[in-house]
Amino acid sequence: LLRTLRFTLRTLHPPPSLENGGAQPVSGRFRQASPFWALRCGPKSAPRNGRLGAVPRPARRNAPLPGHTAGPGWRLEHLLWSRGYARVAGVDEAGRGALAGPVVAAAVLLPYGPHPFNDSKKLSPGERTALAAAVKGVALAWGVGFAAAAEVDALNVLRATHLAAGRALAALTAKVAVDALVTDYLKLDFPGPVAAPARADGLSLQVAAASILAKTERDAFMTALHKEDARYGFAAHKGY
């Protein structure tokens, strides 16, 4: 009687398998077969990616999310726009690490959209020159400010950098008013909010554009200085 009952049950309800969409044994248990389960626990002959059937993950922990691009963008500006600050400009400097010459700062207000600008340190001199012209051509407004070597000696390099940034902002705001700033770790005295994360020239297109202007303007100054006195080789050793 038991044998007849078992035969009847097997005929009416065959053992679950992948072929009939049932289950497959895993570690002595049955799990419901589905495309998801087959992906994670496929046959041992399936290709491995770190572990059997692992769901693909970004190669880097800080890889950009879908819809976001690597490199400079508008992430920092979006934070300020979301708080009601409509006009946000980018500020950066060049010359703080040099032993001679001025500190130069630039302020840039770009139209929203994609731009080819990047941290000036990642660009060749020729690329910086071409992109500086592009910044000036596309920017809604821009300004450059200098703090002379004598001012650096008198004030110290940080205060001189703030002085140059203030002059750059004065040149920019003479053309258009701005509500907030994004800077490369420059905590400037400004009436509105200032977002000043480290390495912002790699995060913000506007700070990247400002870094390009500041570097090319300072390089042009040091090249002109070399023509007056070539003993120090400023044309080849402009500094950063």
Side-chain angles (χ1 to χ4, degrees):
L1 179 62
L2 290 175
R3 289 179 180 177
T4 303
L5 179 61
R6 287 173 183 170
F7 176 80
T8 303
L9 289 174
R10 288 175 181 174
T11 303
L12 297 176
H13 303 285
S17 64
L18 287 177
E19 286 76 13
N20 61 27
Q24 60 176 335
V26 179
S27 302
R29 298 182 180 183
F30 285 90
R31 293 183 181 268
Q32 186 66 27
S34 68
F36 174 72
W37 181 247
L39 172 66
R40 296 190 62 186
C41 299
K44 290 184 178 181
S45 60
R48 288 166 171 75
N49 180 16
R51 58 191 176 92
L52 183 62
V55 177
R57 296 183 179 181
R60 296 179 290 112
R61 178 176 293 181
N62 295 323
L65 297 173
H68 294 260
T69 57
W74 295 95
R75 297 182 289 276
L76 298 174
E77 286 83 356
H78 271 293
L79 294 175
L80 294 165
W81 290 335
S82 66
R83 297 176 184 176
Y85 300 99
R87 290 181 177 173
V88 182
V91 179
D92 203 3
E93 54 74 32
R96 286 181 67 177
L99 295 177
V103 175
V104 182
V108 176
L109 182 65
L110 292 175
Y112 181 75
H115 299 284
F117 311 132
N118 203 347
D119 176 3
S120 63
K121 295 184 290 296
K122 298 179 180 180
L123 304 172
S124 68
E127 289 172 330
R128 285 195 293 264
T129 300
L131 289 174
V135 171
K136 294 177 181 178
V138 75
L140 300 174
W142 59 273
V144 174
F146 283 69
E151 292 174 314
V152 175
D153 292 339
L155 299 173
N156 77 39
V157 70
L158 178 59
R159 291 179 180 175
T161 302
H162 283 228
L163 179 62
R167 290 168 176 167
L169 282 169
L172 176 111
T173 54
K175 305 167 188 173
V176 61
V178 295
D179 306 317
L181 301 176
V182 176
T183 75
D184 187 6
Y185 209 62
L186 286 175
K187 300 174 182 179
L188 301 175
D189 184 12
F190 184 75
V194 177
R199 300 180 181 88
D201 47 4
L203 301 173
S204 165
L205 280 167
Q206 297 193 117
V207 178
S211 77
I212 292 169
L213 285 191
K215 175 60 175 170
T216 53
E217 292 289 332
R218 189 178 188 279
D219 284 359
F221 179 92
M222 298 303 289
T223 300
L225 199 61
H226 174 83
K227 292 178 180 179
E228 296 180 9
D229 189 338
R231 290 178 296 170
Y232 301 100
F234 288 142
H237 305 289
K238 303 175 182 71
Y240 233 109

